[in-house]
């Protein structure tokens, strides 16, 4: 008997995480994530993981993200390309609290991804379907590399897009771990869409952000309901647009049939 899906109305990374975590098959690929609710939660996550990422629950484009590392009894916070050092834990909390304010945030275990030419990278995988009755398909993917001295791969923060082949030739993932890696990333991304799809009334596209560690292990950072379409190859863009056009027609027909039946 399948579990009742968590219904999500708007962009909410924490609810997305909870919905995906209900899947025993997908759960192992999800970094431990909690809501930011104050001092105690921050300290718990730091004590448990050492390195964490604090990001807006409804944030976009890699903005206002804090990477916090516990190092020899002190704490380092990196924001974009700036670093701040705190000797005392309560001063770290005060700094973050003043910046976060009343905005909804989440705390996630940091995944130290593999690097390309010394810079962290991740992948954005597009998963689409023509209608809610059709199966999900991987239609595009791109590999994003952070700029020098930065940890975020988004283009607006200085990240760049390289081919998967080029990245694998210049990364620190051993050759034996690269075999079958792309297909595994696609499979996990597809699974994320299949699991999260029922949480929305009529969702036809997702963009899954996937990180890969040096040992080849895969981690789903988050899923975007309206992923940006920039940076993909011409062939991938053609496929994305074909699915979008088909989806619009199917959605229009679905709404028309719904009105008629009512």
């Amino acid at each position: 008997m399948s579990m009742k899906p968590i219904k999500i109305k708007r962009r909410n990374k924490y609810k997305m995480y909870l919905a995906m975590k209900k899947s025993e098959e997908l759960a192992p690929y999800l970094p431990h994530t909690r809501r930011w609710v104050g001092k105690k939660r921050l300290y718990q996550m730091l004590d448990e993981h050492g390195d964490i990422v604090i990001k807006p629950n409804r944030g976009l484009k890699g903005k206002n993200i804090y990477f916090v590392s516990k190092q020899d009894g002190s704490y380092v916070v990196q924001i974009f390309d700036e670093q701040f050092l705190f000797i005392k834990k309560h001063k770290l909390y005060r700094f973050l609290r003043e910046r976060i304010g009343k905005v909804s945030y989440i705390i996630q275990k940091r995944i130290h991804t593999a690097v390309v030419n010394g810079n962290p990278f991740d992948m954005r995988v597009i998963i689409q379907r023509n209608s809610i009755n059709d199966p999900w398909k991987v239609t595009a993917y791109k590999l994003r590399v952070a700029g020098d001295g930065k940890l975020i791969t988004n283009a607006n923060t200085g990240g760049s897009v390289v081919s998967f082949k080029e990245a694998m030739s210049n990364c620190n993932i051993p050759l034996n771990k690269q075999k079958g890696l792309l297909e595994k990333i696609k499979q996990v991304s597809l699974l994320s869409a299949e699991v999260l799809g029922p949480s929305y009334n009529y969702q036809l596209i997702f963009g899954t952000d996937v990180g890969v560690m040096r040992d080849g292990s895969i981690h789903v950072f988050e899923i975007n309901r309206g992923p940006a379409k920039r940076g993909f190859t011409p062939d991938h863009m053609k496929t994305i647009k074909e699915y979008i056009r088909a989806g619009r027609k199917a959605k229009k027909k679905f709404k028309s049939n719904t009105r008629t039946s009512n």
Side-chain angles (χ1 to χ4, degrees), residues 26 31 40 52 56 60 63 68 107 116 147 163 188 203 220 252:
L26 184 60
K40 186 176 180 180
I52 57 176
L60 290 167
K63 296 179 179 178
V68 184
I107 307 175
V116 171
S163 71
V188 173
Q203 187 71 23
V220 175
K252 187 176 181 181

Side-chain angles (χ1 to χ4, degrees), residues 2-8 19 22 195-200:
S2 59
M3 292 182 291
K4 187 177 180 180
I6 296 174
K7 286 297 182 180
I8 309 170
K22 292 177 74 172
V195 170
L196 195 57
S199 291
Y200 295 94

Side-chain angles (χ1 to χ4, degrees), residues 103-160:
V103 177
S104 176
Y105 265 71
I106 59 173
I107 307 175
Q108 192 173 71
K109 174 186 176 181
R110 181 180 170 188
I111 301 300
H112 288 272
T113 65
V115 297
V116 171
N117 294 324
N119 295 324
F121 77 87
D122 65 11
M123 285 189 66
R124 164 67 60 84
V125 182
I126 302 297
I127 312 97
Q128 294 174 271
R129 56 182 175 179
N130 288 322
S131 77
I132 55 173
N133 297 316
D134 288 321
W136 290 98
K137 301 285 185 183
V138 172
T139 55
Y141 60 87
K142 61 182 177 182
L143 194 146
R144 309 178 300 185
V145 183
D148 292 342
K150 301 180 180 68
L151 300 175
I152 300 171
T153 63
N154 298 65
N156 64 301
T157 60
S160 59

Side-chain angles (χ1 to χ4, degrees), residues 214-242:
R214 189 178 182 278
D215 63 2
S217 61
I218 297 169
H219 304 269
V220 175
F221 293 147
E222 61 183 70
I223 297 187
N224 300 276
R225 289 183 61 210
K229 316 301 188 299
R230 300 184 302 274
F232 295 99
T233 66
D235 285 345
H236 280 169
M237 282 303 305
K238 181 180 178 182
T239 305
I240 289 172
K241 290 177 180 179
E242 287 173 351

